[in-house]
């Protein structure tokens, strides 16, 4: 809960809020209608580093200055959609989602075949570095405030950051790449600077001294572009109608079957009856498969043909669609 988090921060000004099942957070007591606005506002303040000033009846006033809080939440898209609808867009309206780095990976189900574990020396080195950083003690002044060490940018890094800032600003306008995620894009330059600082500290084994270099800022901006693309993709999927989602699901299945037939040197045509029997489970029953086929055919994504004197219908995926999915 927000109260427990504030209580922790009064004792120690650093917190990591990590959950692999964030549905319990978005559906928890702290996100109820009567408290969600205040709690999201509090989390926004913590992202900024404070200060936090809270007064409660019976508990007096709490004032926290200079804190560092990170959140890493794994959640199913449907849960996030439900939370967004329940709060009537509040999470986006007050900039809560804008502060996150979105990652919405495609499913690899059906492709996760067993292979013998390999040695991963880079992963071992990564874990050693993380452990050494976690073992560092936070410095606090006489008033209990966190003592931080600002890190600057060298001339090349400053120039790279300005170019990225202006690039994102240009792509927010009109009908450009980031026009549908203006809230997320508005924080992109600041998040790129934060990423650059993380990379700088992580790679400086002797201590995070000196300014952030040009190459480090370039890497951070590249990462941020990837996160922006993920936010665009997630936003597009969340805004899809059920008919569009069904059509995309069927199209992906058909493309995989086409590739499988090519690998096995079989005929690539597939019948409508085969789709009904072996197609995506979510589409079986009712008219969902017929509706998805009609929608895809109307948009030139596939073609449904029938031989003269035969009731069997065949489906052919358009070659450009197969290239898209590749």
């Amino acid at each position: 809960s927000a109260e427990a988090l504030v209580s922790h921060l009064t004792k120690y000004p650093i917190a990591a809020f990590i959950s692999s099942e964030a549905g319990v957070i978005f559906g928890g007591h702290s996100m109820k209608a009567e408290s969600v606005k205040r709690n999201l506002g509090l989390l926004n303040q913590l992202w900024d580093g404070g200060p936090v000033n809270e007064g409660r009846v019976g508990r007096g006033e709490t004032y926290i200055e200079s804190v560092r809080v990170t959140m890493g939440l794994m959640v199913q898209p449907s849960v996030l959609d439900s939370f967004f609808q329940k709060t009537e867009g509040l999470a986006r309206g007050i900039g809560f989602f804008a502060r996150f780095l979105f990652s919405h990976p495609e499913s690899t189900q059906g492709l996760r075949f067993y292979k013998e574990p390999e040695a991963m020396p880079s992963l071992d080195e990564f874990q050693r570095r993380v452990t050494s950083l976690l073992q560092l003690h936070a410095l606090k002044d006489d008033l209990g405030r966190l003592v931080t060490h600002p890190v600057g940018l060298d001339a090349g890094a400053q120039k790279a950051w300005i170019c990225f800032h202006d690039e994102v600003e240009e792509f927010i306008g009109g009908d450009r790449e980031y026009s549908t995620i203006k809230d997320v894009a508005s924080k992109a330059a600041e998040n790129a600077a934060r990423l650059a600082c993380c990379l700088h500290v992580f790679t400086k084994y002797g201590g995070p001294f000196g300014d952030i270099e040009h190459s480090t800022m370039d890497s951070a901006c590249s990462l941020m572009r990837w996160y922006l693309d993920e936010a665009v993709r997630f936003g597009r999927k969340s805004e899809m109608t059920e008919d569009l989602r069904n059509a995309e699901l069927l199209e992906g299945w058909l493309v995989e079957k086409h590739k499988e037939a090519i690998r096995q040197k079989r005929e690539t045509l597939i019948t409508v009856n085969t789709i009904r029997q072996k197609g995506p489970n979510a589409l079986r029953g009712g008219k969902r498969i017929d509706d998805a086929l009609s929608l895809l055919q109307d948009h030139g994504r596939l073609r449904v043909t029938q031989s003269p004197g035969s009731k069997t219908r065949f489906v052919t995926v358009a070659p450009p669609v197969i290239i898209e999915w590749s």
Side-chain angles (χ1 to χ4, degrees):
S1 67
E3 292 79 8
L5 184 58
V6 169
S7 176
H8 165 83
L9 291 170
T10 58
K11 303 179 182 71
Y12 190 73
I14 298 174
F17 206 110
I18 312 295
S19 175
S20 60
E21 290 293 342
V24 300
I25 296 171
F26 288 111
H29 177 72
S30 63
M31 295 299 178
K32 297 293 184 184
E34 63 273 12
S35 57
V36 64
K37 186 175 182 179
R38 180 182 66 84
N39 290 333
L40 292 184
L42 169 65
L43 293 172
N44 283 355
Q45 285 179 289
L46 295 176
W47 185 85
D48 291 329
V52 175
N53 192 357
E54 286 205 336
R56 290 295 186 86
V57 176
R59 293 207 314 230
E61 188 169 298
T62 301
Y63 183 79
I64 311 171
E65 188 177 354
S66 184
V67 296
R68 293 294 180 268
V69 175
T70 187
M71 298 186 76
L73 307 178
M74 296 177 68
V75 63
Q76 294 292 337
S78 58
V79 175
L80 202 58
D81 285 342
S82 175
F83 172 74
F84 183 74
Q85 297 299 327
K86 186 174 65 176
T87 59
E88 299 180 343
L90 179 66
R92 289 195 71 170
I94 67 172
F96 178 67
F97 282 168
R99 288 163 164 80
F100 283 86
L101 302 177
F102 275 86
S103 174
H104 187 221
E106 297 283 4
S107 173
T108 58
Q109 289 181 343
L111 302 172
R112 301 168 296 182
F113 302 110
Y114 178 80
K115 60 180 180 180
E116 290 294 331
E118 300 175 359
M120 294 186 284
S122 296
L123 178 60
D124 294 338
E125 178 60 23
F126 174 84
Q127 291 174 339
R128 281 193 294 271
R129 181 59 176 155
V130 170
T131 301
S132 68
L133 289 170
L134 288 173
Q135 289 173 342
L136 294 176
H137 293 287
L139 299 178
K140 294 186 285 186
D141 63 16
D142 295 338
L143 298 178
R145 296 174 300 193
L146 185 66
V147 177
T148 58
H149 303 281
V151 177
L153 309 178
D154 70 13
Q158 177 79 6
K159 184 178 180 180
W161 183 84
I162 291 173
C163 287
F164 176 74
H165 174 279
D166 292 349
E167 170 194 319
V168 173
E169 183 64 25
E170 180 183 353
F171 288 169
I172 290 177
D175 195 26
R176 299 297 297 274
E177 287 87 336
Y178 305 145
S179 60
T180 59
I181 54 161
K182 292 180 179 180
D183 55 331
V184 177
S186 67
K187 295 289 184 185
E190 182 169 352
N191 270 326
R194 291 177 180 226
L195 285 170
C197 191
C198 289
L199 296 174
H200 176 75
V201 171
F202 193 88
T203 56
K204 299 296 180 182
Y205 282 69
F209 305 114
D211 292 337
I212 293 172
E213 299 170 355
H214 186 189
S215 59
T216 303
M217 182 58 74
D218 267 348
S219 296
C221 291
S222 295
L223 272 173
M224 197 59 225
R225 289 186 188 94
W226 186 87
Y227 282 119
L228 285 169
D229 289 343
E230 287 291 277
V232 170
R233 192 161 62 87
F234 177 76
R236 187 179 71 244
K237 283 183 177 290
S238 66
E239 291 170 1
M240 277 185 179
T241 64
E242 184 180 358
D243 287 344
L244 278 175
R245 279 195 290 268
N246 289 343
E248 186 175 81
L249 179 62
L250 178 59
E251 184 177 275
W253 185 85
L254 287 169
V255 169
E256 285 304 314
K257 291 300 175 185
H258 177 91
K259 291 179 180 178
E260 184 181 302
I262 293 293
R263 287 194 298 269
Q264 298 176 2
K265 299 180 179 180
R266 292 189 286 103
E267 173 60 60
T268 56
L269 287 175
I270 189 169
T271 67
V272 173
N273 282 339
T274 300
I275 297 173
R276 295 189 197 285
Q277 295 166 8
K278 300 180 181 180
N281 288 330
L283 303 185
R284 295 185 196 176
K287 294 177 55 188
R288 286 189 290 271
I289 286 177
D290 287 332
D291 290 343
L293 286 171
S294 295
L295 185 59
L296 291 171
Q297 186 166 225
D298 289 344
H299 285 79
R301 309 288 290 182
L302 56 78
R303 184 171 60 182
V304 180
T305 57
Q306 188 171 343
S307 301
S310 172
K311 294 183 179 180
T312 303
R313 293 188 296 158
F314 296 92
V315 176
T316 308
V317 181
V321 172
I322 296 167
I323 294 172
E324 276 183 37
W325 281 85
S326 298

